[in-house]
Amino acid sequence: MSQETKTNSGSNEPKSRVKKTGGVPSTGHSWDGIEELTNQLPRWWVWAFYLTAIFTVVYWLFYPAWPIGSTFTKGVPGLNSITYTATQVDGTQVEKTTHWNMRSKFMVEMNELHAAQKQWFDKVAATPFDEIAQDAELMQFVTSAGKTLFSDNCAPCHQAGGQGVIGFSPNLTDDHWQYGSSYAQIQDVIVHGRQGYMPPFKEIISDEEITQAANYVLSLSGEPHDAASAELGAKVFQSDTASCYACHGTDAKGKEGLGSANLTDKIWLWANIPEIENADEKLKAVKNIIAGGLNRGVMPAWEDRLKPDQIKLLTVYVHQGLGGGK
Ligand code: HEC
Ligand code: HEC
């Protein structure tokens, strides 16, 4: 290209016009010493430009393009229509034909995906639980589809891996099951939901009795406790005033039908007792649970939100230790 002007005098008049332009005539336009020349556009560029203009007109004919009032041009009918099966609010399916748009294209792709998945879901629905677990190929589908269903519906509370959050939602990957560990029991929890209830005891028994019961509960899972107080606590536990035994069982191992916790294992849902270092704080945390009761664990019912075959698949997914975690 052209050479730099040596002087930087601020003058608009370049030193040598011909030298700068390489022989191509100037249009006479000049800005800050930069000349506009009369070079022709490259031929390929001009053709590409015409082609894009032609493409635009074709595109307008085929696809939705121009806004008119509250609607828009939808393209020449028949040239671009797209047909898909849509499920209506009442569950009936209808064939729909519409002009090309991203939404209907998405519907077509989703329908294809669902058709491919349907044969697998049908197989899950038709196979007994323990046979599903034996079928490696079917389990592969359960694991991948289960992961998606779980992260869409369950992970907000139980976390992506199902490990739960102490004080909020139970861990589904351990061997501890508040409501039972059989396929049927897990399925029933998912279908109908659960809300464990324990009454507040602060008005039913004295603060001293709450301390004793708390010491007894701590002793059951090998936590630091006052042995004399715990001995009295055992009596409170089995008494008809407190009636802890009625829900937790005389052995304190919990009842699956009520979802009352097993108090003899080291798994705590509502206070992270093993992680609390100070023995006084442990006691205080257990006393708070007994005094205040529990009514916060809400496991929603899914019968109206998921299809039976999806719930069955999730049951296997959860039972099998969340995709092979066990
Ligand atoms: C709004 C939060 C929330 C969502 C969403 C949720 N859960 Fe739960 N889930 C809970 C709580 C809280 C409990 C414990 C209920 C109790 O303590 O009574 C629970 C309990 C359970 C249990 C019983 C555990 C046991 O130890 O017996 C299973 C199984 C379970 N959930 C599976 C699922 C599945 C599968 C999904 C998704 C379809 C799901 N949950 C979605 C909060 C949730
Ligand atoms: C009406 C039934 C009922 C009675 C009576 C009852 N509980 Fe409970 N308790 C439950 C249920 C249900 C849960 C689990 C709640 C949940 O997870 O949502 C529970 C949970 C607990 C927990 C928490 C366990 C954990 O893992 O975090 C403690 C501690 C406890 N109970 C102690 C007692 C003591 C001590 C008494 C007697 C003073 C008592 N309970 C009486 C039903 C009862």
Side-chain angles (χ1 to χ4, degrees):
M1 279 294 280
S2 56
Q3 286 167 13
E4 276 288 348
T5 339
K6 291 235 166 61
T7 55
N8 203 4
S9 59
S11 148
N12 279 343
E13 205 51 51
K15 279 257 142 84
S16 161
R17 177 162 288 180
V18 174
K19 218 179 189 183
K20 278 196 76 191
T21 61
V24 181
S26 166
T27 59
H29 300 152
S30 147
W31 295 272
D32 291 343
I34 299 166
E35 289 283 309
E36 182 184 357
L37 307 181
T38 57
N39 275 320
Q40 293 294 303
L41 288 163
R43 198 153 277 261
W44 66 264
W45 194 95
V46 177
W47 279 111
F49 177 72
Y50 289 147
L51 279 175
T52 57
I54 294 165
F55 173 83
T56 310
V57 176
V58 175
Y59 189 92
W60 289 343
L61 290 176
F62 274 80
Y63 292 99
W66 288 96
I68 341 168
S70 61
T71 172
F72 51 90
T73 60
K74 299 185 172 65
V76 177
L79 282 185
N80 65 348
S81 48
I82 197 161
T83 304
Y84 63 94
T85 321
T87 309
Q88 291 182 304
V89 188
D90 62 8
T92 53
Q93 299 209 315
V94 283
E95 285 252 301
K96 278 199 171 176
T97 301
T98 167
H99 63 274
W100 190 97
N101 58 50
M102 285 308 283
R103 193 181 149 77
S104 45
K105 184 167 178 279
F106 174 72
M107 291 298 286
V108 168
E109 282 168 10
M110 284 304 281
N111 284 341
E112 281 165 7
L113 195 73
H114 283 160
Q117 278 204 339
K118 191 178 178 302
Q119 48 165 326
W120 287 105
F121 269 111
D122 287 350
K123 202 169 173 200
V124 168
T127 313
F129 278 120
D130 38 6
E131 279 175 39
I132 297 177
Q134 303 299 316
D135 186 331
E137 214 188 351
L138 196 51
M139 273 312 288
Q140 220 172 352
F141 173 69
V142 167
T143 309
S144 72
K147 195 169 180 182
T148 309
L149 276 173
F150 195 87
S151 54
D152 287 351
N153 300 287
C154 324
C157 290
H158 290 285
Q159 306 294 286
Q163 70 274 25
V165 179
I166 290 189
F168 181 55
S169 63
N171 183 341
L172 303 178
T173 66
D174 60 17
D175 287 334
H176 169 87
W177 295 91
Q178 218 174 316
Y179 294 99
S181 61
S182 74
Y183 285 113
Q185 283 168 316
I186 294 174
Q187 191 176 32
D188 196 62
V189 169
I190 304 173
V191 169
H192 295 115
R194 288 290 186 274
Q195 181 164 10
Y197 174 73
M198 168 165 138
F201 282 93
K202 58 178 181 292
E203 316 258 299
I204 301 174
I205 53 179
S206 70
D207 188 59
E208 206 186 343
E209 287 171 311
I210 291 177
T211 306
Q212 293 162 351
N215 270 306
Y216 173 62
V217 170
L218 285 167
S219 76
L220 291 174
S221 52
E223 292 287 349
H225 60 279
D226 179 326
S229 177
E231 211 169 298
L232 294 169
K235 295 210 174 76
V236 175
F237 196 88
Q238 309 292 352
S239 76
D240 283 330
T241 348
S243 65
C244 312
Y245 75 91
C247 293
H248 289 281
T250 46
D251 59 359
K253 291 210 163 119
K255 291 184 178 173
E256 288 174 350
L258 293 171
S260 54
N262 180 347
L263 303 177
T264 66
D265 60 18
K266 295 191 188 315
I267 294 164
W268 295 80
L269 177 51
W270 298 110
N272 199 353
I273 303 296
E275 293 293 313
I276 301 176
E277 284 182 12
N278 183 305
D280 286 345
E281 293 297 319
K282 285 184 201 264
L283 181 68
K284 210 163 123 192
V286 179
K287 278 185 68 177
N288 277 342
I289 292 172
I290 302 171
L294 287 167
N295 197 20
R296 31 188 169 136
V298 183
M299 162 68 186
W302 295 89
E303 57 187 337
D304 296 331
R305 297 185 238 191
L306 292 173
K307 288 187 251 155
D309 53 5
Q310 292 176 313
I311 291 181
K312 185 169 180 188
L313 186 141
L314 271 174
T315 303
V316 182
Y317 182 72
V318 170
H319 185 278
Q320 291 303 105
L322 288 160
K326 222 191 294 188

